[in-house]
Every structure is written in C-alpha cells, then in structure tokens.
Amino acid sequence: MATAAAQGGLFRRPTATTGWWSWVTTVDHKKIGILYCATALAFFVIGGIEALAIRTQLAVPNGTTLTAETYNQFFTMHGLTMIFLVVMPLGVGIMNYLAPLMIGARDVAFPRINAFSYWVFLLGGLFLYSSFFLGGAPDGGWFGYAPLSTQLPGNGMTFYALGLQILGVASLLGAVNFIVTILNMRAPGMTLMRMPVFIWMTLVTAFLLLFAMPVIAVALFELMFDRVYNANFFNPATGGDPVLWQHLFWLFGHPEVYIMILPAMGIISDVLPTFSRKPIFGYAAIVFAGIAIGFMGWGVWAHHMFAVGLGPVANSAFALSTMFIAVPTGVKIFNWLGTMWKGDLHFNTPMLFAIGFVSMFIIGGLSGVTHAIVPSDAQQTDTYYIVAHFHYVLFGGAIFGLFSGLYYWWPKVFGKLLSEGLGKVHFWLMFIGFNLAFGPMHILGLEGMPRRTYTYPDGMGWNLWNLVATVGAFIIAVSIAVFLVNAVRTKRKGREAGADPWDGRTLEWSTPSPAPAYNFAEVPIVKARDDFWHRKYVVKPDEQVTPVVAGGAVAAHEDEHDPGHGIHLPAPSFLPVLAAPGLPIMAYGVIYSWPLIVVGGLLLLLALFGWVLEPSEVEH
Amino acid sequence: MAKTKPAYSRTFTRRAVRGALVLLLLLSATACARSEDVPQSSLEPAGEFARAPDVLWNVTLAIAAVVFVLVQGVLVFALIRFRHKEGRKAAQFHGNTKVEVALTVVPALILAGLAIPTVGTIFDLQGDPATDVMRVEVIAHQFWWEFNYPEQGVTTANELHIPVDQEVVLELQGAATDAVDGNAEVIHSFWIPRLGGAQDMIPGHTNFLRISADEPGRFMGQCKEFCGLSHANMRVVAYSHTQEDFDAWVEEQNAPAAENASGDAGAGQELFTETFDVRSTVVEEGADAYQCASCHAVQPGVEVPLRTGPNLTHFASRSTFAGATFENNAENLAAWLRDPHGVRPGSKMPALDLSEDEINDLVAYLQSLE
Amino acid sequence: MATGELTPAVHEHHTSTGLDNTKMAMWAFLGSECLFFGSFISTYLLYRNQTADGPTSADLYDIPYTSVSSFVLLMSSLTMVLALAACHRKDQRGMRAWLLATALLGMVFIGGQIYEFTEFAHEGLALSVSPFGSSFFVLTGFHGAHVTVGILMLLLLVGMSMFDRLGPDDSRKVELIGLYWHFVDIVWIIIFTVVYLIPS
C-alpha cells in the first residue's frame, strides 16, 4: 500500500500533483523540462537586453551609452548567460521532456537527481546574477583568460569561477542521468539503431558533458585558488603559465560547442522528416557522424589558440583536425538536404526554423572552416569575424533549432498549438534581424575591428555596418516579443492540439497531449525505427504510403483516470530543492565568510542524508 | 492525420531572394573598400607576411563561395520544387549509399587540398627567418607598447618605425609582471593587419612575428587580446620608410632631445622633475619620489628609476600618444593630463590633480620635445 | 497488442543493457572523475619544477613515510573487498566489521596526509609560495577530500546496516561504495607514482 514506504523516510514524502508546491517538489521529467525551458527563456530575455545594450553602445563610434566598466560586465555576462543559462538549459529542458517519451520510458533513471539538477541550475544562475548587486558582475570575458582573470579587482571574477562550478554540478549530474536513462530504460524492441536521431544526439551530448565538465571544473578551481587563496597556478612571476588556463579551458570549451549544437541538430533531424513526410535520409550516417563529431571534438581545442605561439607542428596538427571535423558535419547537412529532397514539404513554423537552421549553419560551418587556415586565422582571430561565425552556428544554428523544437513539441507539452501566423512573423523577423545583425560582422572583422572593445574611433570604416548590426539586433528583440505574445495568447485561447497534430513519426505522439504523468498507459513494444509512424501507415512496394486500417494504430487515450494496472511512479520529494541551496551558500562563503561554507556544506550533507534514506517510490 | 494549411507564397520567395541578393551586393561592395577608408583592413596586405595569409584567404573564400552557392542553391531549389501541393507524394527512400559516400569523400578531398598550402604557409611564416633581419623587441603593457631596437639602440613607445623591403622580426616579449603595480602582466596580442597576422604576447613567453612593408606608409593596428578596461584603446601605429628615411629617423631618435627651457615650456620642464602627491594606489609605495621623470624618460639612453611609463624621448615627433589612441595635439594632451582615467579607463598613469596652469605648462614642455 | 513490462524507477527492474542503473551511473561518474584528476595531475606535471623561492620536492618528500600511508590505503581496498564478500554471504556483522575497518584505514591515511602536509607547511611550502606548492596541495587535497567523502559513505553504510535500513539483499549499495573506494585508491596509486616516485 502507499503509505508504508512513505513512513520510512525522515519526513513524509509530498503528494501534491497540482499547484505551485507540486512544481517545487516535482521529480517528473516533464515538469522539470518545462521548468528548465521557462527559466532558460527568461535568461534569454535578460541576455538579449545585455546584447541590446552592447549594440546600442557600438551603434556609433565613441559611444557613450555604457562605460568601459559596465560594457566589460555586459559582454561577459551576455556570453555566460547565452551559453550556460540559455542554450544549454533549453537543450536539457527539451531533452528532459522528450527523452523518456521518445524511448518509451516513464521517467529518467534518477528523477530526484533530475530535480536537483534543475534547482542547482536555477540557483547557480541567480548566484551569478547576484553579482550585479554585490559589487559588480564578472568582467573578464566568458573565457576568463588568466592572468587578467586572476587579478581583476572586486569579486566579479570570483562569482564567475564559483557560479560556473555550481552550474557544472547540475550539468554533470544531468549527463549521468541521461546516459543511464537512454542506455538502460528503452522500451522493449527499442534497439539503439531504432532510437530517434534526437535521442542519439542527446546521448552523445551527455558523454561530452560527462568528460568536459570536470576539465573546466579543474580550471575554475585553480582560478578560484589563485584569486581567493593566493595560489600560483597562473602567476607568471613564480613560474605559473597562463597558457595552462587556455588549454584547460578549451579542452572543455570545444566539446562545449558541440554540447550546444548537437541537441539542436537532433531536433531538426526529427522535425525535417515529419514535415517532409518521409524518413530521415541516411539515418546511420547521421548517427555515426554525430558520434564522430563527439570523438573528433576532443582533438581540435587548440584551434582557439592559433595565435598563442604553440609552434608550427602543433598549429598544423590542429589545423588538420579542425578541417576534418567538417566532414561529418557536412554529412549531416547533406543528409538533411536529402531528407527534404523529393519530399512533400509543409512549411509550418517548426519546419521554417529547421530550414533556417540548415541554411544558417551552412554559413557558420563554412566560416568555421576558414578559421582552420592558420595563417588566415591570425588575421581573423579575436575580431568580429569570429563573433559572426559563432553567432551563425549558435544563434542561426542552435537557437533556431531549439525554437523549432519548442514550436514542434509545444502542443505535446501544453495540449495547444502555438499560433501559426504569429509563429511565421516570429521566424521571418528573427531570420531577417539575425542576418542583418551578424552578416555584416564578417566584414567588420576582416576590416580590422577587434572583439571585446567597448568603443571604436571614427574613421576606421566600421560605422555603417555597426549601425546595421544594431538595427538587426533590435529586430531580433521584436521577434522574441512576438514569440512571448504567442505563448501567452496560446495559453489563454490556443487551438486544442490533440495527440498527434503534425502526423509525427516518433513515440511521443502516441500519448495524449499534454502527456499524462505516467507517459504511457501501456509501455509500447517497438518493432521498427519510427515505430509510431509504421503503426499508422504502410508503405506499399510501389512506394505508396497508405494509412493502416482502423484498429491498427494506437489510439491515444484521453482518459487519465484509469491508466490500467498500478503504475509505479517516482514520488515527489522536497529534498532536491532542500539540498540545492547548499551549493550557492558555500559559494557565498568562499567570497564573504568561511563559516558559510560550513553551513552550506552541512545543509547539503544533511539533505543528501535524508535523500538516501528516503524510499524512492510510492505506489501511484 | 494533421491538417496543414499551405501557407507558402511564391511571391514572398521572390521578394526574399531579391532582398538577399541586394544584401549580398552591398556586402561585396564594402569588401572592395580601399585602404584609406579602412586603415586596419586585413584584406589590403602591404607586405610579404600579410600577403601570404591573404592568398590563402582568397583561395579559401573562393572555395567556400562555390560550396555556399551550390549547397544553398540545392536547399532553395528543394524548398521551391518539393513544396506541398495538392496531390504531392513524398518519395520514401531512406538513403543513397553512392551519394552519401561521394558527399563524404569529395569534401574530404577538398579539405585535403586546402590543407597542403595551409601547412606550407604555416611553416613558411614560422620558419627560420632570413639572414639579414632587423630585430625589434616589443613589450606590451596595460595599455601601451614599448619598442626596443637593440641594433639601433633606440627605445620608444606606441609607434613602430621600420624600413621598407626589410624583414622585421618582432620579438614579442611577455613580461611576467607589470612594472607599475607588481601584479602579473596580462596577455595582449600584437596586430597590424596590413603587415601581418597577430601573435599573442603572453607573460613568461616570447613569441615572434615577422612583418615587412613594400612601400613607405602609415599602418594602424590594435591589441587583439582582451586585456582590461582600455583594451579598446590599446592601438599601435607603424611607419615604413625608405632606408634613408629610416636611418635618419634612427639618428634623430639617438640625438639628444631638444628641450626648450624658456617660458611655459620651461615651467613645464620644472614641473616634470617636481615631486607630486600622486592620487593613485597604482604606483609603488616607497619608490623614488613621484615625478614625471621617475617613469618617463625624455632623453635617449636614460634609465628612469621606475621605468614604468612610455618612453617620451622625442615625444613631439610622434603623431599619436597614449597607446596611439589620441592625436598628439595640445587639446588632447591637456585632456589627458587633466583626467587620464576619464579618457582611458583603467590607465595606470596616476591622476595628478594639476591646475590648468600646470597643465598648460606641461603641454608646452611636451610639445617642445622634438 | 501486448503489454510491455512496467518500469518502476529504481531497483528490481529490467534494464536494456542488463546492468543496474546505479552501477552504470557510478561507472559514468568515475569516468568523469578520471578527467578531473587527470587535469590536476597534468597541472602538477607541468609545475613540479616551478618552485620559485620555496622548497622543492627533493627537499620535502619522505618516500618511506608516504609508502606506508599508501600501503594503508591499499589495505583498505582489501578490507572493502572482504566487506562485500561478507555482504554476499549475508554476514551482516562481518560486513559491518570490514566496512568499519575500511573506514578506519581511510582515516589513518587521512591522518597521515594531514601530518605530512603540516610538515611541508613548516618547511615553507604553501599554496601561495609557488606553482609547485599550489598544484601539490590542491591535487592531494582534492584526493583527500574524495577519501573523506568515501569514509562518510562507509560510515553511513555501517549505520544503515545497524538500523536495519540495509537489507541482506542490498549488496548493490555496498558494491557501489566499493567501486568508488577502489577508484579513489587507484587514483592514489597514480598520484603516488607520478608525484612522489618519479623524480622531477
């Protein structure tokens, strides 16, 4: 019976399934996914405001909107926000909601750790932003090169070191969770090669996180020790080497960019087939290309260091490895094109964003290859040409892909379809604004404008394109506003979606919308890749696609009250949200007063103690 | 089955394509800007070591442009040709091994083709220098450049002079500590785009950068590695001269600086060697009394006690000052002396709380240092 | 349409690979720990001779002493194996005894580390003295922190067993802590070899 297990814990386990307390104590991957995405979108707006401030300052030469001090904080926080508080958590949020559904599972392997990861992420982001009110935000760039980062006065860069550590804990635990979930909790018949491409990309991303996060953790600890405890890791006066920071940072940093792009690549690999009405072109090749990128991504890090003076042999080696990672990337692009080829293309909003991804990523990928040409990179590096490149792949690529996913799965999550009309306005405004903002930056960089400069003088030939870029940035802002309006209006009076509004191919569309707490009334038995689609359609020998006769397709049950025999669901718990603050409290302790470290540590320890003793399931 | 409205409009495509073409034209027009309009352009090489990367860039750009047109072209074609129309059926193929193999092998071959000249140029640029190079030592500070010419015995700041047709090897010495406040020096990056690519200047390391200029001219550059508050204000100017003119410049630099000892300039000279109360925690305590002369040399071959500030020998012969940020004129000098941190945030020049008269005198003195 | 196997959240369930969830999680976590310690060891290797004006490793290291404490830690891995064996044969008291022995040996090791570090500090080595000092203390310090966490987990296991919260079928939890403990021991073997035994 239900309560026997609940009595065993130190405190009774919460049982709420609605209301705000249910969100605080949830261990349901779906609620956690929504929390991640909502929080990430909030940070997106904040990071966007930082970008607008930057662009306003740079719209004209000798701008006076921001002082140098403020500018340096803004560009640092813009980068940190967009990378760690937007793109990564949006990917994780979508992965959270969808992964168990796509593999036919009821939840992830470790639901409480999943919740803990979210709360640590939220508190880590808040910790980082609290720096604005506590003497100044980090101002040494998101890349924090030592020895500048070890000696910038104030607490800003210490917030940087500690904040990223906290966020890293969330990412690492999430990685372990997804690896175990995907490898171990697939529905019967769901072999690895029958998994949706999105799940494969999630798996590769999780492995990249698993091995990359510890490296930056080490770098950040060394930075923290230098700043707070006078260590000498990066102190050239005693023999410390600033290049060590760069090696550690980029050993993390390069896999990090694949961590950011692979989920989006996975998303569009599922969106494109749905709206082209045909299967993904070259499934195995796309999967293996993703795995190849995961491996090869570890061998290119020093292409961020071509001007450091590593020597011609090292530079040549990394030039070659960087060029060759373009091959599996190209394979994916060609396969996406092949997916659309001879398809029956429907240009709903998710499809528009997916196509936008492909188009913008071609540009970003090509500019990336040009960076591999080392002598040319000596001109390109640290200029706006690089800024253009990474915004093309991270905004034109990752963000577009993530929005494709949001529009695509919104009906599954909320049961309502986002407005197509507003969605298209969002897409076109964003597409135009984005290209206006970042296209000209290629030219600015080649014409000699360096990065991370709070102002530039008149007479350099940069005025026109800076102004154009600023206009583009504001157009992007308007497009985001359109999206937010769409989201709010849909909540109030959106169209009911039903289980399968897009005539999808993968398992998540076989559940009602919104997906019920238990995901599947009965765990599916998977017989093929795109199993759900094959239950709906049969492909005749002459390539004619015909719907299966009624009774064959899985009808999504709207009835939640009778899910069949007792389904074991992981019970809610407040221990993740109790344990999570321990980390930022310890971090504040490092900055302000060491007893806080003990307080935070004890909180964490005691909460973990309660967590271990709490039974993990209660009968539903 | 889902109902989707055919919402794609052909006229919209046409407009979008037209708009994109216009943008492309504008972009290419700017790319052909001339060097006077764009003094720091990397696309206007003025010497052998800037030309080598530029050649590679042109080849790569050409290949990238072809790939871009082809791939985007296939995309646009597919979007138009295969868009949903009543009765359209999607072909249900899962792949095409031949096509997939070809599209893996061909890019690999193209890249391999690019790799060969790339590696060749890497070794050329970083290989052994020619036998008759001229060496200049560069030390980067926050936020200015120090230049030492060991063969010519010249020390100067922020403005680099080189002879034409001469391979110059810049020895980028990464000082471990900042001589002003004893903190670690930070990473900078030396870059004059028209003369060559950049190389970082890393505390504790020495890097080498080879540059040369074909013709006499003036070239602008900037620090490229974020180095603090005035990273944006850490610029550099290079002048290339005929060999004669360069030799003349060396002679001038080695000659004693003319110091006008009368009038305002004379008063300024006295101020220059007067001890000030320095409103700054930046300059080391207990060092030799804080005079301008403690940190700034105004005669060739003079070692200042603290050796922390830009060498001002023949200061009036320079076209810029303060990290080549400001034009060297009275108004700018006055603004600088009045409030160095206001015009250059994070500058290590102490604030001196000078009266307007004192500023006036000092400016006159500095402008007399021909 | 056949019904699939229900998949409750934790133990007693079928997994796609046949490997238990928490065990796979521990292996994954230990994989990331390899890079964590690998990065600190690399830092140490880079800085082992950057001693500034401070003491060098030749001045400080007492190999016989550290060999003894390494041996202690190695023995604790043996007792850990014995604890798991006791658990498998349902010998709860034996398991508790061996777990305690493991924790105790771990504490002796930590005690030895603390003594060694205090000695080094008296000889003039500190984080703030040189890159060598920084990397030595941070590397060995983090290892010590990991051992300490392991000791806490071992004591928790003992406590749970004493209060009947660790059933005779629950060898899984003991195995998990064992995996972690052996890993921490292996890391020490590497550190001992690289830091102490290989001369700079």
Side-chain angles (χ1 to χ4, degrees), chain A residues 248-602:
Chain A
L248 289 174
F249 184 82
W250 288 117
L251 263 167
F252 151 80
H254 198 83
E256 165 67 8
V257 314
Y258 295 117
I259 288 166
M260 287 194 279
I261 198 69
L262 285 176
M265 288 182 162
I267 291 172
I268 67 151
S269 301
D270 285 324
V271 168
L272 287 172
T274 302
F275 294 94
S276 307
R277 323 288 307 140
K278 56 194 280 280
I280 189 84
F281 182 93
Y283 171 90
I286 289 200
V287 165
F288 287 118
I291 297 172
I293 289 172
F295 274 104
M296 291 169 79
W298 290 97
V300 301
W301 84 90
H303 68 214
H304 301 269
M305 297 163 66
F306 278 148
V308 164
L310 297 175
V313 175
N315 284 348
S316 301
F318 283 101
L320 291 173
S321 63
T322 305
M323 279 189 229
F324 286 110
I325 205 168
V327 175
T329 316
V331 164
K332 292 171 98 83
I333 294 177
F334 298 133
N335 284 9
W336 291 321
L337 292 176
T339 305
M340 290 185 268
W341 194 260
K342 292 201 176 153
D344 175 26
L345 308 181
H346 295 253
F347 297 111
N348 301 78
T349 309
M351 181 64 162
L352 288 176
F353 275 104
I355 294 169
F357 174 111
V358 175
S359 178
M360 299 298 98
F361 196 81
I362 292 170
I363 298 175
L366 284 173
S367 64
V369 172
T370 66
H371 304 331
I373 316 296
V374 173
S376 184
D377 184 65
Q379 298 279 27
Q380 302 165 16
T381 189
D382 282 311
T383 67
Y384 266 84
Y385 186 81
I386 305 288
V387 177
H389 160 74
F390 67 72
H391 280 94
Y392 265 85
V393 286
L394 287 178
F395 194 137
I399 292 283
F400 271 60
L402 291 165
F403 269 113
S404 175
L406 286 177
Y407 277 94
Y408 184 53
W409 282 304
W410 198 276
K412 178 56 54 185
V413 175
F414 297 110
K416 298 195 183 154
L417 286 156
L418 285 168
S419 150
E420 268 298 311
L422 284 179
K424 289 189 163 68
V425 173
H426 170 195
F427 171 75
W428 284 111
L429 277 179
M430 190 175 247
F431 184 80
I432 291 167
F434 166 80
N435 279 291
L436 274 180
F438 298 105
M441 288 188 187
H442 292 101
I443 300 177
L444 283 173
L446 292 172
E447 290 188 340
M449 184 173 175
R451 295 169 76 168
R452 303 160 178 160
T453 48
Y454 75 96
T455 188
Y456 57 95
D458 202 358
M460 301 300 289
W462 301 334
N463 299 7
L464 171 66
W465 292 122
N466 267 299
L467 189 59
V468 171
T470 301
V471 169
F474 278 91
I475 296 177
I476 294 174
V478 173
S479 78
I480 305 291
V482 169
F483 169 74
L484 294 172
V485 165
N486 198 350
V488 170
R489 279 180 70 194
T490 302
K491 184 172 169 60
R492 294 221 194 102
K493 46 179 180 154
R495 259 183 17 229
E496 288 292 319
D500 185 18
W502 310 118
D503 196 14
R505 307 179 72 88
T506 39
L507 278 179
E508 75 273 22
W509 303 109
S510 71
T511 69
S513 300
Y518 49 82
N519 292 355
F520 300 94
E522 290 160 353
V523 172
I525 308 258
V526 173
K527 299 204 170 77
R529 194 181 303 155
D530 289 340
D531 186 73
F532 177 61
W533 191 85
H534 286 290
R535 288 190 240 158
K536 293 187 291 185
Y537 297 102
V538 152
V539 184
K540 297 241 175 71
D542 61 354
E543 286 226 342
Q544 286 300 312
V545 173
T546 19
V548 167
V549 179
V554 172
H557 297 285
E558 291 293 346
D559 181 6
E560 283 191 44
H561 302 300
D562 188 280
H565 8 283
I567 298 179
H568 294 272
L569 279 188
S573 169
F574 59 82
L575 286 169
V577 76
L578 188 66
L583 288 170
I585 291 175
M586 289 173 79
Y588 280 119
V590 172
I591 298 177
Y592 292 111
S593 148
W594 72 261
L596 274 177
I597 304 179
V598 178
V599 168
L602 273 174

Side-chain angles (χ1 to χ4, degrees), chain C residues 131-192:
Chain C
F132 164 67
S134 304
S135 48
F136 174 82
F137 278 123
V138 170
L139 170 61
T140 50
F142 268 110
H143 176 263
H146 278 75
V147 174
T148 308
V149 167
I151 293 171
L152 288 173
M153 293 198 292
L154 288 165
L155 294 175
L156 180 64
L157 276 180
V158 173
M160 281 168 73
S161 168
M162 277 166 51
F163 287 93
D164 283 325
R165 296 302 301 277
L166 195 69
D169 301 315
D170 222 342
S171 65
R172 188 178 56 98
K173 291 198 170 92
V174 179
E175 224 179 311
L176 276 177
I177 307 299
L179 259 178
Y180 174 84
W181 190 260
H182 294 310
F183 173 77
V184 166
D185 197 356
I186 293 173
V187 171
W188 178 254
I189 293 172
I190 297 174
I191 291 178
F192 182 53

Side-chain angles (χ1 to χ4, degrees), chain A residues 147 151 241 277-278 282 307-308 323 342-346 359 378-379 381-382 443 446 448 454 465 501 537 543, chain B residues 1-2 4 27 30 40 42 72 82 84 88 90-92 94 100 111 184-185 191 193 198 200 205 207 224-225 233:
Chain A
Q151 62 189 11
D241 190 351
R277 323 288 307 140
K278 56 194 280 280
V308 164
M323 279 189 229
K342 292 201 176 153
D344 175 26
L345 308 181
H346 295 253
S359 178
Q379 298 279 27
T381 189
D382 282 311
I443 300 177
L446 292 172
Y454 75 96
W465 292 122
Y537 297 102
E543 286 226 342
Chain B
M1 235 202 288
T4 50
L27 290 172
T30 327
Q40 233 165 259
S42 64
Q72 298 279 15
F82 303 118
H84 174 71
R88 177 155 186 83
Q92 297 297 309
H94 286 81
E100 289 177 61
L111 290 166
E185 185 52 70
W191 189 44
D200 286 354
H205 291 244
N207 281 338
K224 261 214 294 188
E225 187 59 60
N233 300 326

Side-chain angles (χ1 to χ4, degrees), chain B residues 74-148:
Chain B
V74 167
L75 176 63
V76 171
F77 176 81
L79 294 178
I80 299 172
R81 172 74 178 78
F82 303 118
R83 72 191 183 286
H84 174 71
K85 276 193 285 223
E86 203 54 52
R88 177 155 186 83
K89 300 240 185 278
Q92 297 297 309
F93 53 86
H94 286 81
N96 182 323
T97 315
K98 282 209 196 94
V99 169
E100 289 177 61
V101 168
L103 289 174
T104 311
V105 169
V106 169
L109 287 175
I110 296 175
L111 290 166
L114 263 178
I116 298 168
T118 301
V119 174
T121 311
I122 292 174
F123 276 88
D124 280 342
L125 288 176
Q126 299 193 274
D128 298 325
T131 42
D132 61 340
V133 297
M134 187 179 98
R135 277 180 57 237
V136 181
E137 294 165 3
V138 183
I139 301 173
H141 304 264
Q142 275 175 317
F143 300 96
W144 58 278
W145 310 93
E146 180 182 334
F147 298 116
N148 295 318

Side-chain angles (χ1 to χ4, degrees), chain B residues 118-320:
Chain B
T118 301
V119 174
T121 311
I122 292 174
F123 276 88
D124 280 342
L125 288 176
Q126 299 193 274
D128 298 325
T131 42
D132 61 340
V133 297
M134 187 179 98
R135 277 180 57 237
V136 181
E137 294 165 3
V138 183
I139 301 173
H141 304 264
Q142 275 175 317
F143 300 96
W144 58 278
W145 310 93
E146 180 182 334
F147 298 116
N148 295 318
Y149 295 72
E151 292 146 35
Q152 293 82 0
V154 173
T155 299
T156 185
N158 295 320
E159 298 193 354
L160 180 71
H161 293 256
I162 58 174
V164 297
D165 281 333
Q166 165 74 61
E167 180 176 326
V168 176
V169 172
L170 299 173
E171 193 177 305
L172 307 174
Q173 299 177 347
T177 48
D178 173 7
V180 175
D181 54 20
N183 287 338
E185 185 52 70
V186 300
I187 301 178
H188 300 271
S189 189
F190 189 87
W191 189 44
I192 304 180
R194 297 193 63 207
L195 299 183
Q199 281 290 290
D200 286 354
M201 303 185 55
I202 300 171
H205 291 244
T206 302
N207 281 338
F208 294 92
L209 183 63
R210 297 157 77 187
I211 60 171
S212 75
D214 297 330
E215 305 277 324
R218 181 178 192 266
F219 309 100
M220 293 186 63
Q222 226 174 317
C223 171
K224 261 214 294 188
E225 187 59 60
F226 179 64
C227 54
L229 281 170
S230 267
H231 168 59
N233 300 326
M234 189 167 166
R235 329 183 71 82
V236 65
V237 177
Y239 290 97
S240 56
H241 308 275
T242 61
Q243 191 63 52
E244 279 171 1
D245 288 343
F246 177 76
D247 293 336
W249 175 80
V250 172
E251 241 186 85
E252 261 172 44
Q253 292 295 311
N254 278 326
E259 293 190 50
N260 187 344
S262 65
D264 288 347
Q269 182 176 22
E270 277 182 37
L271 280 171
F272 200 82
T273 49
E274 187 180 298
T275 310
F276 281 97
D277 267 330
V278 169
R279 181 169 51 84
S280 163
T281 55
V282 158
V283 181
E284 225 173 82
E285 288 284 347
D288 215 348
Y290 304 138
Q291 309 169 4
C292 307
S294 312
C295 303
H296 294 284
V298 290
Q299 292 291 353
V302 166
E303 287 276 327
V304 291
L306 293 178
R307 206 168 176 270
T308 56
N311 190 302
L312 299 179
T313 310
H314 300 292
F315 176 74
S317 68
R318 300 185 198 162
S319 62
T320 61

Side-chain angles (χ1 to χ4, degrees), chain A residues 62-124:
Chain A
N62 299 313
T64 50
T65 314
L66 301 173
T67 62
E69 285 88 346
T70 311
Y71 183 90
N72 290 353
Q73 290 176 46
F74 270 41
F75 87 74
T76 302
M77 288 301 279
H78 169 76
L80 290 171
T81 302
M82 290 308 191
I83 291 171
F84 295 102
L85 304 179
V86 177
V87 174
M88 286 174 81
L90 267 177
V92 165
I94 295 178
M95 276 158 40
N96 241 303
Y97 197 101
L98 268 308
L101 283 170
M102 283 180 144
I103 63 175
R106 295 209 186 287
D107 207 310
V108 294
F110 304 104
R112 287 176 300 172
I113 293 183
N114 204 15
F116 180 71
S117 283
Y118 168 72
W119 293 111
V120 170
F121 152 67
L122 174 67
L123 291 173

Side-chain angles (χ1 to χ4, degrees), chain A residues 1-8 13-17 27 106 517-518 563-572 615-620, chain C residues 6-11:
Chain A
M1 268 303 288
T3 51
Q7 280 163 4
R13 284 189 81 141
T15 47
T17 48
V27 297
R106 295 209 186 287
Y518 49 82
H565 8 283
I567 298 179
H568 294 272
L569 279 188
S616 30
E617 47 181 299
V618 166
E619 193 142 328
H620 184 68
Chain C
L6 296 173
T7 49
V10 198
H11 57 267

